[in-house]
Amino acid sequence: MQTIETFSPEETFRLGEKLGEQARPGEVYTLIGDLGVGKTVLTQGIAKGLLIEEPISSPTFTIVQIYEEGRMPFYHFDVYRIGDLEEMEEIGYEDYFYGQGLVMIEWANRIEEILPERYLEICIEKDLEKGFDYRRITMKEIQRRG
């Protein structure tokens, strides 16, 4: 497990950029954190690290946004509004989860039962006592038994 503290949106973005530069095809990142904590900022940094130029926004109403012009495909899921797992099956989530791109899933705790055996869990937390822009970002490799 690794914990990183950032003190500005720019630092959070740069951390994401490093993650994107290090990402390998077939990896899955899950992103957990309250509304307004900086999930989209981190995701935008990851996209930059993947050499994606187009603007990244949270796919709140579409479940998945697909970006293919970077050094590998980037599949950005936001499952906040998902009703049930059937919706994930309807969009063919397995093609993304087990494909050749990088998968980022916001609110992944809502679909825990279909997450792959291995993924990187990224949790972003605020601590207002340390400042408005302070974030504690904890990353840990999850290895589940099938």
Short mmCIF file of all heavy atoms in Angstrom, two decimals, residues 7 17 27 31 34 48-50 63 66 75 80 82 89 91 97 113 117 120 123-124 129 132 135:
data_model
loop_
_atom_site.label_atom_id
_atom_site.label_comp_id
_atom_site.label_asym_id
_atom_site.label_seq_id
_atom_site.Cartn_x
_atom_site.Cartn_y
_atom_site.Cartn_z
N PHE A 7 -1.44 18.67 -2.22
CA PHE A 7 -1.91 19.91 -1.59
C PHE A 7 -2.53 20.88 -2.60
O PHE A 7 -2.81 22.01 -2.27
CB PHE A 7 -0.75 20.57 -0.84
CG PHE A 7 -0.27 19.71 0.32
CD1 PHE A 7 0.71 18.76 0.13
CD2 PHE A 7 -0.85 19.83 1.57
CE1 PHE A 7 1.13 17.94 1.18
CE2 PHE A 7 -0.45 19.02 2.62
CZ PHE A 7 0.55 18.07 2.42
N GLU A 17 -0.95 11.76 -13.87
CA GLU A 17 -0.12 11.70 -15.07
C GLU A 17 0.95 10.60 -14.93
O GLU A 17 1.19 9.82 -15.84
CB GLU A 17 0.53 13.06 -15.30
CG GLU A 17 1.12 13.24 -16.67
CD GLU A 17 1.61 14.66 -16.94
OE1 GLU A 17 1.41 15.56 -16.08
OE2 GLU A 17 2.20 14.86 -17.99
N GLU A 27 -4.67 -3.37 -17.45
CA GLU A 27 -4.79 -3.03 -16.03
C GLU A 27 -6.14 -2.38 -15.74
O GLU A 27 -6.73 -1.73 -16.60
CB GLU A 27 -3.67 -2.08 -15.60
CG GLU A 27 -2.31 -2.77 -15.54
CD GLU A 27 -1.21 -1.86 -15.00
OE1 GLU A 27 -1.21 -0.65 -15.30
OE2 GLU A 27 -0.36 -2.38 -14.28
N LEU A 31 -11.48 3.70 -8.51
CA LEU A 31 -11.34 5.02 -7.91
C LEU A 31 -12.49 5.26 -6.96
O LEU A 31 -13.66 5.25 -7.36
CB LEU A 31 -11.33 6.06 -9.03
CG LEU A 31 -10.91 7.47 -8.73
CD1 LEU A 31 -9.60 7.52 -7.95
CD2 LEU A 31 -10.76 8.25 -10.02
N ASP A 34 -15.51 10.53 -2.17
CA ASP A 34 -16.75 11.29 -2.16
C ASP A 34 -16.84 12.23 -3.36
O ASP A 34 -15.84 12.52 -4.02
CB ASP A 34 -16.85 12.12 -0.88
CG ASP A 34 -16.98 11.24 0.36
OD1 ASP A 34 -17.46 10.09 0.23
OD2 ASP A 34 -16.59 11.69 1.45
N LYS A 48 -3.69 12.22 -19.57
CA LYS A 48 -2.52 12.94 -20.11
C LYS A 48 -1.31 12.02 -20.14
O LYS A 48 -0.56 12.02 -21.12
CB LYS A 48 -2.25 14.17 -19.25
CG LYS A 48 -1.02 14.96 -19.68
CD LYS A 48 -1.37 16.38 -19.99
CE LYS A 48 -0.18 17.28 -20.22
NZ LYS A 48 0.58 16.99 -21.41
N GLY A 49 -1.13 11.22 -19.09
CA GLY A 49 -0.03 10.26 -19.05
C GLY A 49 -0.14 9.19 -20.12
O GLY A 49 0.86 8.59 -20.52
N LEU A 50 -1.35 8.96 -20.62
CA LEU A 50 -1.58 8.01 -21.72
C LEU A 50 -1.49 8.70 -23.08
O LEU A 50 -1.76 8.08 -24.10
CB LEU A 50 -2.96 7.37 -21.58
CG LEU A 50 -3.16 6.41 -20.40
CD1 LEU A 50 -4.63 6.02 -20.28
CD2 LEU A 50 -2.28 5.17 -20.56
N ILE A 63 -22.16 5.84 -18.42
CA ILE A 63 -21.48 4.72 -17.75
C ILE A 63 -20.03 4.58 -18.22
O ILE A 63 -19.14 4.47 -17.41
CB ILE A 63 -22.22 3.38 -17.84
CG1 ILE A 63 -23.61 3.47 -17.20
CG2 ILE A 63 -21.42 2.28 -17.13
CD1 ILE A 63 -24.42 2.20 -17.28
N ILE A 66 -15.01 6.13 -23.94
CA ILE A 66 -13.91 5.41 -24.56
C ILE A 66 -13.00 6.41 -25.27
O ILE A 66 -13.47 7.23 -26.05
CB ILE A 66 -14.46 4.38 -25.57
CG1 ILE A 66 -15.37 3.39 -24.84
CG2 ILE A 66 -13.31 3.67 -26.29
CD1 ILE A 66 -16.21 2.54 -25.75
N TYR A 75 -10.57 3.28 -20.98
CA TYR A 75 -11.99 3.08 -20.74
C TYR A 75 -12.33 3.65 -19.37
O TYR A 75 -11.93 3.11 -18.35
CB TYR A 75 -12.34 1.59 -20.81
CG TYR A 75 -11.85 0.93 -22.08
CD1 TYR A 75 -10.93 -0.12 -22.02
CD2 TYR A 75 -12.30 1.35 -23.32
CE1 TYR A 75 -10.48 -0.74 -23.18
CE2 TYR A 75 -11.85 0.74 -24.49
CZ TYR A 75 -10.94 -0.30 -24.41
OH TYR A 75 -10.50 -0.90 -25.56
N TYR A 80 -21.70 5.39 -10.74
CA TYR A 80 -22.45 6.02 -9.65
C TYR A 80 -23.96 5.80 -9.79
O TYR A 80 -24.65 5.53 -8.82
CB TYR A 80 -22.13 7.52 -9.58
CG TYR A 80 -22.81 8.22 -8.44
CD1 TYR A 80 -22.41 8.03 -7.13
CD2 TYR A 80 -23.88 9.10 -8.67
CE1 TYR A 80 -23.03 8.67 -6.07
CE2 TYR A 80 -24.51 9.74 -7.63
CZ TYR A 80 -24.08 9.53 -6.33
OH TYR A 80 -24.71 10.16 -5.28
N ILE A 82 -25.53 3.50 -11.62
CA ILE A 82 -25.92 2.18 -12.12
C ILE A 82 -27.01 1.59 -11.24
O ILE A 82 -26.97 1.70 -10.02
CB ILE A 82 -24.69 1.25 -12.22
CG1 ILE A 82 -25.01 0.09 -13.13
CG2 ILE A 82 -24.24 0.75 -10.87
CD1 ILE A 82 -23.82 -0.42 -13.85
N GLU A 89 -23.60 -5.70 -17.80
CA GLU A 89 -23.58 -6.78 -18.79
C GLU A 89 -24.05 -6.29 -20.14
O GLU A 89 -23.51 -6.68 -21.18
CB GLU A 89 -24.42 -7.96 -18.28
CG GLU A 89 -23.74 -8.67 -17.12
CD GLU A 89 -24.61 -9.72 -16.45
OE1 GLU A 89 -25.64 -10.13 -17.04
OE2 GLU A 89 -24.25 -10.12 -15.33
N ILE A 91 -23.65 -3.41 -21.50
CA ILE A 91 -22.62 -2.67 -22.24
C ILE A 91 -21.37 -3.51 -22.51
O ILE A 91 -20.43 -3.04 -23.11
CB ILE A 91 -22.22 -1.36 -21.53
CG1 ILE A 91 -21.63 -1.64 -20.15
CG2 ILE A 91 -23.37 -0.38 -21.46
CD1 ILE A 91 -20.99 -0.42 -19.53
N PHE A 97 -12.92 -4.80 -19.32
CA PHE A 97 -12.17 -5.24 -18.14
C PHE A 97 -11.04 -6.18 -18.51
O PHE A 97 -10.01 -6.21 -17.85
CB PHE A 97 -13.09 -5.95 -17.14
CG PHE A 97 -13.99 -5.03 -16.35
CD1 PHE A 97 -14.29 -3.74 -16.76
CD2 PHE A 97 -14.56 -5.48 -15.17
CE1 PHE A 97 -15.13 -2.93 -16.03
CE2 PHE A 97 -15.40 -4.67 -14.42
CZ PHE A 97 -15.69 -3.39 -14.86
N GLU A 113 -18.72 -7.09 -6.98
CA GLU A 113 -18.81 -8.52 -7.29
C GLU A 113 -18.36 -8.88 -8.70
O GLU A 113 -18.09 -10.04 -8.97
CB GLU A 113 -20.22 -9.08 -6.98
CG GLU A 113 -21.38 -8.30 -7.53
CD GLU A 113 -21.89 -7.17 -6.62
OE1 GLU A 113 -21.10 -6.37 -6.12
OE2 GLU A 113 -23.11 -7.07 -6.45
N GLU A 117 -10.03 -10.22 -10.74
CA GLU A 117 -9.26 -10.74 -9.61
C GLU A 117 -8.19 -9.76 -9.12
O GLU A 117 -7.91 -9.70 -7.95
CB GLU A 117 -8.56 -12.04 -10.02
CG GLU A 117 -9.20 -13.27 -9.46
CD GLU A 117 -8.47 -14.52 -9.91
OE1 GLU A 117 -7.23 -14.56 -9.85
OE2 GLU A 117 -9.18 -15.46 -10.33
N LEU A 120 -5.91 -2.21 -9.15
CA LEU A 120 -5.31 -1.21 -8.27
C LEU A 120 -6.43 -0.35 -7.71
O LEU A 120 -7.16 0.30 -8.47
CB LEU A 120 -4.32 -0.32 -9.04
CG LEU A 120 -3.66 0.79 -8.22
CD1 LEU A 120 -2.70 0.20 -7.19
CD2 LEU A 120 -2.92 1.77 -9.13
N CYS A 123 -7.94 5.33 -3.49
CA CYS A 123 -8.93 5.97 -2.63
C CYS A 123 -8.46 7.40 -2.37
O CYS A 123 -7.32 7.62 -1.95
CB CYS A 123 -9.04 5.18 -1.33
SG CYS A 123 -10.26 5.86 -0.21
N ILE A 124 -9.33 8.37 -2.62
CA ILE A 124 -8.99 9.78 -2.40
C ILE A 124 -9.85 10.31 -1.26
O ILE A 124 -11.07 10.16 -1.27
CB ILE A 124 -9.26 10.64 -3.66
CG1 ILE A 124 -8.53 10.06 -4.88
CG2 ILE A 124 -8.82 12.09 -3.43
CD1 ILE A 124 -8.79 10.83 -6.17
N GLU A 129 -8.87 19.87 7.88
CA GLU A 129 -7.94 20.42 8.88
C GLU A 129 -6.56 20.68 8.27
O GLU A 129 -5.81 21.50 8.77
CB GLU A 129 -7.82 19.47 10.08
CG GLU A 129 -9.07 19.45 10.94
CD GLU A 129 -8.93 18.52 12.14
OE1 GLU A 129 -7.80 18.08 12.45
OE2 GLU A 129 -9.97 18.24 12.76
N PHE A 132 -8.02 23.15 2.36
CA PHE A 132 -9.11 22.89 1.42
C PHE A 132 -8.68 21.98 0.27
O PHE A 132 -9.44 21.14 -0.19
CB PHE A 132 -9.66 24.22 0.88
CG PHE A 132 -10.80 24.05 -0.06
CD1 PHE A 132 -12.08 23.73 0.40
CD2 PHE A 132 -10.61 24.19 -1.44
CE1 PHE A 132 -13.14 23.55 -0.47
CE2 PHE A 132 -11.67 24.00 -2.32
CZ PHE A 132 -12.93 23.69 -1.83
N ARG A 135 -5.34 16.40 -0.19
CA ARG A 135 -5.91 15.08 -0.48
C ARG A 135 -4.95 14.00 0.00
O ARG A 135 -3.73 14.11 -0.18
CB ARG A 135 -6.14 14.88 -1.98
CG ARG A 135 -7.11 15.89 -2.62
CD ARG A 135 -8.52 15.75 -2.10
NE ARG A 135 -9.45 16.62 -2.77
CZ ARG A 135 -9.80 17.82 -2.32
NH1 ARG A 135 -9.29 18.30 -1.20
NH2 ARG A 135 -10.68 18.55 -2.97
#
